[in-house]
Amino acid sequence: MSKQTMGAGDLLVRIGAIVFIVGAVGTLATVAPLLLGTHRLPTPAYFVSMLMGVGLALALLGLLRSALAQRRPEGHPQA
């Protein structure tokens, strides 16, 4: 394991990546029946595929938070 401490936004990026992967798997699961000509999945399966966008948004927020933390001077307290 690495001994580095997690920076601001790192947890959001990791959670966003996991949610994105779950959404990507959901997207593949909902598109596959359409391409194979089988029966469509129920509506909640399509909601799972929407997690892909939510995961991307979380990861981008984490990156933004990390970038803002690096721009902030070390000696000045956060407002």
Side-chain angles (χ1 to χ4, degrees):
M1 288 253 89
S2 175
K3 297 203 185 253
Q4 291 182 340
T5 59
M6 288 182 53
D10 286 352
L11 184 61
L12 271 176
V13 171
R14 289 181 187 200
I15 292 172
I18 292 169
V19 172
F20 182 86
I21 291 171
V22 169
V25 170
T27 300
L28 290 175
T30 55
V31 171
L34 299 174
L35 297 175
L36 298 174
T38 60
H39 294 289
R40 291 181 52 194
L41 293 177
T43 303
Y46 288 91
F47 290 125
V48 172
S49 66
M50 291 182 195
L51 289 176
M52 203 166 159
V54 173
L56 180 65
L58 283 172
L60 289 175
L61 284 173
L63 289 174
L64 179 66
R65 187 173 176 190
S66 294
L68 290 175
Q70 288 178 0
R71 285 187 63 191
R72 193 176 313 124
E74 293 290 327
H76 293 90
Q78 184 177 353

